[in-house]
Amino acid sequence: MNGDPFQETMYIEESTYKNDMISLIFSLKEKVGALATVLRIFEEKSINLTHIESRPSRVNKDEYEFFINLDSRNSPLLTDIIKTLRNEIGVTVHELSRKKKKDAVPWFPRTIQDLDRFANQILSYGAELDADHPGFKDPVYRARRKEFADIAYNYRHGQPIPKVTYTEEEKKTWGTVFRELKTLYPTHACYEHNHVFPLLEKYCGYREDNIPQLEDVSKFLQTCTGFRLRPVAGLLSSRDFLAGLAFRVFHSTQYIRHGSKPMYTPEPDVCHELLGHVPLFADISFAQFSQEIGLASLGAPDEYIEKIATVYWFTVEFGLCKEGDAIKAYGAGLLSSFGELQYCLSDKPEIQSLNLEKTSVQKYPVTEFQPVYYVAESFKNAKEKVRRFASTIPRPFSVRYNPYTQRIEVLDNAKQLKNLAESISSEMGTLCSALKKIA
């Protein structure tokens, strides 16, 4: 057993799970009597451990991690024991195999490098086109799509995103979409989009005759909000795609739609990503809001993933927001569609206030204009609503992203909460000091 306990969950479940066994991983500081204290708790409850392994922690150098098995007949006592370990001793515990719904936590990435593990677990490969796709009968376009898919398939975190030499036909398609949409942005797009767009033109090569490179755009976003792009070879599952947002990583396509229909695409393409998504990811409030959606998805049950994905659809993809007395578009699906950007602000669709309890279960069409759109008061207000919604998700912990280590911290014991409190205290000290200086 090597690596982080959450990283190894899939391996352990496949290799060591037995129907009559319960498996746990916990970590302890390296000090005399630490393990004996934990084992005494099991002994007092008359629980017999059938297997135990240890290894130095790769996360905290002063800790050891222990993997244990115990008889499933002890399951009724386990909840109290885990609570004691977490709250009274400060042990980090991860349960792997007990058959109890509320404790069955799906695997999720703990480090930004973990995104490599599922980046290629795609639902459809980039070169695979449906029969009704405009490029289905075009062998040159299909071969080109495979080139883009292969670039993404071979990408790993930390590598520069390979630059692409786009063809004249591809640049012509981009130019048509760029030119038409840019005429609508001043009147239809939200302030944040219009504020960032000139910066993208200045620093990232956004022009009618040039398709920006993902690497250049990703570097720009990192300087603005810490968001970054990662090339993807096809469609990811909702769970995997949302998990990327928790690390401020957006999985982006690099190919462009078929030139025969420049104003239509049946799937996300580089026009959708760069014209629709990227400008908003450069805004601090929107970046925080998007990350909150990703954090809410980590370890969530499947039925809640569907709800969170629906919230994403009606906000990040097709969201509207108030701007004074007017309503503007901020969803990428709107900002990258000439037709729907006009339609969404007409008197044809139904407009409702953003209510996540209702929005999360709203059915929606994928291949036609939306019959209903939801309006957010502000990105800050939407972010708070996502946080409240996340608190209703049945998972036995909370999570926090540490931008210094680029890790997800699982807040499920006294030690983690103490570290969080100290971090908040330090930030509050900085705030109080700054307030005194400007008072």
Side-chain angles (χ1 to χ4, degrees):
M1 289 168 53
N2 295 314
D4 180 86
F6 270 71
Q7 289 179 311
E8 296 299 326
T9 298
M10 295 175 68
Y11 166 76
I12 293 171
E13 286 178 338
E14 291 170 0
S15 304
T16 65
Y17 176 78
K18 296 185 176 72
N19 291 332
D20 58 347
M21 303 300 294
I22 298 170
S23 301
L24 298 177
I25 285 180
F26 62 88
S27 58
L28 289 172
K29 279 193 174 296
E30 187 178 4
K31 61 181 181 180
V32 177
L35 179 59
T37 300
V38 172
L39 296 180
R40 193 174 299 116
I41 293 173
F42 288 96
E43 184 180 3
E44 289 172 353
K45 297 287 186 180
S46 299
I47 293 179
N48 182 42
L49 303 184
T50 60
H51 180 80
I52 183 167
E53 295 179 25
S54 66
R55 66 182 177 193
S57 173
R58 294 190 175 185
V59 180
N60 298 306
K61 293 184 178 179
D62 61 341
E63 291 186 353
Y64 265 77
E65 293 165 353
F66 297 87
F67 171 71
I68 63 173
N69 283 339
L70 53 147
D71 196 298
S72 62
R73 288 173 293 185
N74 299 132
S75 182
L77 302 172
L78 200 56
T79 299
D80 288 340
I81 287 180
I82 291 176
K83 186 176 181 181
T84 299
L85 292 174
R86 286 173 173 165
N87 298 338
E88 297 182 16
I89 303 180
V91 174
T92 299
V93 184
H94 178 52
E95 183 176 353
L96 299 177
S97 61
R98 181 163 50 144
K99 292 184 177 180
K100 191 175 181 182
K101 262 193 174 180
K102 71 174 184 178
D103 289 314
V105 179
W107 179 89
F108 59 89
R110 291 286 299 278
T111 72
I112 197 167
Q113 291 82 5
D114 283 348
L115 301 185
D116 287 342
R117 291 185 58 175
F118 62 72
N120 292 324
Q121 294 177 9
I122 50 180
L123 304 180
S124 64
Y125 199 64
E128 298 170 359
L129 306 180
D130 292 333
D132 59 350
H133 192 286
F136 179 73
K137 296 182 179 180
D138 185 342
V140 175
Y141 181 77
R142 292 173 68 96
R144 183 66 165 156
R145 285 288 294 266
K146 187 178 186 303
E147 290 178 30
F148 286 109
D150 289 343
I151 289 173
Y153 193 81
N154 292 305
Y155 178 82
R156 296 296 179 268
H157 172 74
Q159 298 175 347
I161 302 173
K163 293 186 180 295
V164 172
T165 301
Y166 288 97
T167 66
E168 289 303 314
E169 183 178 356
E170 288 169 339
K171 287 189 282 188
K172 181 180 177 182
T173 300
W174 162 272
T176 300
V177 178
F178 184 92
R179 182 175 61 254
E180 295 296 329
L181 285 171
K182 196 175 177 183
T183 64
L184 291 180
Y185 287 156
T187 53
H188 290 65
C190 64
Y191 165 81
E192 291 79 4
H193 187 279
N194 286 327
H195 175 69
V196 171
F197 204 82
L199 300 176
L200 293 167
E201 292 179 305
K202 183 177 181 180
Y203 297 110
C204 297
Y206 273 53
R207 298 193 311 272
E208 185 176 329
D209 63 348
N210 179 66
I211 303 176
Q213 297 292 334
L214 294 192
E215 178 68 10
D216 296 336
V217 177
S218 185
K219 287 181 178 178
F220 173 80
L221 288 179
Q222 289 176 56
T223 64
C224 295
T225 62
F227 248 93
R228 69 184 70 209
L229 303 181
R230 176 182 178 124
V232 67
L235 291 175
L236 291 170
S237 70
S238 294
R239 182 182 293 280
D240 291 343
F241 178 82
L242 293 170
L245 296 179
F247 294 85
R248 297 203 173 197
V249 172
F250 180 74
H251 288 82
S252 173
T253 56
Q254 209 168 7
Y255 58 81
I256 194 163
R257 62 195 64 182
H258 195 262
S260 64
K261 292 186 176 181
M263 303 311 291
Y264 167 76
T265 178
E267 78 240 296
D269 74 332
V270 74
C271 296
H272 172 79
E273 320 289 35
L274 298 185
L275 298 175
H277 281 293
V278 163
L280 272 298
F281 283 135
D283 177 77
I284 292 175
S285 291
F286 184 82
Q288 291 174 336
F289 165 66
S290 301
Q291 186 176 31
E292 287 294 334
I293 294 178
L295 290 169
S297 75
L298 300 180
D302 290 342
E303 61 270 24
Y304 278 84
I305 289 295
E306 183 178 354
K307 290 182 178 182
I308 297 167
T310 302
V311 169
Y312 176 90
W313 179 268
F314 283 111
T315 54
V316 179
E317 287 292 351
F318 292 96
L320 302 176
C321 62
K322 289 186 178 179
E323 203 166 281
D325 295 329
I327 293 178
K328 301 289 185 176
Y330 72 87
L334 303 175
L335 294 168
S336 60
S337 169
F338 185 79
E340 192 160 6
L341 185 53
Q342 296 176 83
Y343 167 83
C344 72
L345 297 180
S346 69
D347 58 0
K348 296 178 181 178
E350 180 183 351
I351 307 296
Q352 297 185 21
S353 296
L354 184 63
N355 178 330
L356 297 195
E357 287 70 24
K358 183 177 181 180
T359 305
S360 64
V361 295
Q362 175 70 47
K363 301 299 181 184
Y364 56 86
V366 176
T367 58
E368 57 191 61
F369 292 172
Q370 302 300 303
V372 59
Y373 299 95
Y374 291 91
V375 182
E377 295 292 329
S378 66
F379 295 143
K380 180 180 178 181
N381 179 261
K383 179 178 65 178
E384 292 305 316
K385 287 184 176 181
V386 169
R387 283 182 175 172
R388 289 196 295 271
F389 182 75
S391 69
T392 67
I393 297 174
R395 55 184 181 182
F397 52 79
S398 295
V399 294
R400 170 178 178 262
Y401 178 66
N402 186 325
Y404 303 108
T405 61
Q406 296 182 319
R407 291 183 61 88
I408 296 297
E409 296 178 351
V410 177
L411 306 176
D412 65 348
N413 62 72
K415 176 186 173 183
Q416 290 285 359
L417 297 181
K418 180 182 177 182
N419 291 342
L420 176 58
E422 290 175 350
S423 176
I424 294 173
S425 177
S426 176
E427 293 294 328
M428 288 298 295
T430 302
L431 175 61
C432 291
S433 176
L435 288 172
K436 289 177 181 178
K437 291 179 180 179
I438 66 174

